[in-house]
Amino acid sequence: MGKKDGESKPRGRMSSYAFFVQTCREEHKKKHPNDTVVFTEFTKKCAEKWKEMTPKEKKRFEDMAERDKSRYEREMSSYVPTGGQAKKRKRTKDPNAPKRSLSAFFFFCAEERPSVRAANPGIGVADVAKELGKKWEVCPNKPKFEQLASEDKSRYERDMVAYRGGSGASAVPKASPKKAKVEAEDDDDEDEDEDDDDDE
């Protein structure tokens, strides 16, 4: 039960149920040393046994778990991690890389969030998100937001081609999602103006 040679970090603590399963396995090995144990079936039987046990019968294993918890806390209090353990490095994002495209739902949220907040003052971020999700389900203007998303995706693909083909810096100036939205709305207004001119 002690630490193995070469191990620096203390062994994790065991629960009362883990001690019970370990004890059952040891007893089974003593009685049937040549049997191969199917782990899933064995643990299922242990779980059934554990459920049927009285608190008095479980006390022995709970005491073992309590002693192990004390051992773990004692060892962890003096444990200092060594620098030899490899840590995962977080991939650094290139600040010159183009901003990813937004989905139709994100464009919808950008437009609807202020009205949801105004209608429900004091609600949290999660509740705002839930409300936006409900509104999105019944939104009659989905094609409008899907068009904005499609345009933003095209913008992103163009920017990525320029970014990968260039020296690492995007040759196409990046437009923020809000700017892309405003530009898209301006384009719609111009189209409407042209339609009005045609009518005259």
Side-chain angles (χ1 to χ4, degrees), residues 148-165:
L148 289 171
S150 175
E151 290 168 5
D152 197 38
K153 184 178 179 185
S154 298
R155 184 264 324 150
Y156 175 70
E157 288 169 353
R158 281 192 314 272
D159 289 0
M160 280 305 288
V161 167
Y163 171 74
R164 287 189 179 128

Side-chain angles (χ1 to χ4, degrees), residues 4 82 132:
K4 294 175 188 169
T82 58
L132 287 167

Side-chain angles (χ1 to χ4, degrees), residues 137-152:
E137 288 296 316
V138 295
C139 176
N141 295 333
K142 281 187 184 180
K144 169 190 167 184
F145 298 107
E146 286 164 356
Q147 177 64 33
L148 289 171
S150 175
E151 290 168 5
D152 197 38

Side-chain angles (χ1 to χ4, degrees), residues 5 10-11 76 79 102 111 117 120 123 126 129 136-137 154 161 171 174-175 187:
D5 291 338
R11 179 179 46 81
M76 282 302 286
Y79 169 66
L102 297 179
E111 188 173 295
R117 283 194 180 278
N120 305 289
I123 66 170
W136 176 249
E137 288 296 316
S154 298
V161 167
K174 293 180 280 184
D187 290 345

Side-chain angles (χ1 to χ4, degrees), residues 91-182:
R91 201 174 88 198
T92 55
K93 188 178 176 187
D94 183 354
N96 297 322
K99 280 193 179 279
R100 292 190 68 87
S101 58
L102 297 179
S103 68
F105 178 66
F106 273 82
F107 278 106
F108 169 79
C109 289
E111 188 173 295
E112 290 293 318
R113 189 175 287 109
S115 63
V116 169
R117 283 194 180 278
N120 305 289
I123 66 170
V125 175
D127 293 327
V128 169
K130 282 180 190 173
E131 196 60 38
L132 287 167
K134 288 176 190 173
K135 288 184 91 170
W136 176 249
E137 288 296 316
V138 295
C139 176
N141 295 333
K142 281 187 184 180
K144 169 190 167 184
F145 298 107
E146 286 164 356
Q147 177 64 33
L148 289 171
S150 175
E151 290 168 5
D152 197 38
K153 184 178 179 185
S154 298
R155 184 264 324 150
Y156 175 70
E157 288 169 353
R158 281 192 314 272
D159 289 0
M160 280 305 288
V161 167
Y163 171 74
R164 287 189 179 128
S167 61
S170 178
V172 180
K174 293 180 280 184
S176 72
K178 285 185 179 178
K179 283 183 183 175
K181 180 182 157 196
V182 170

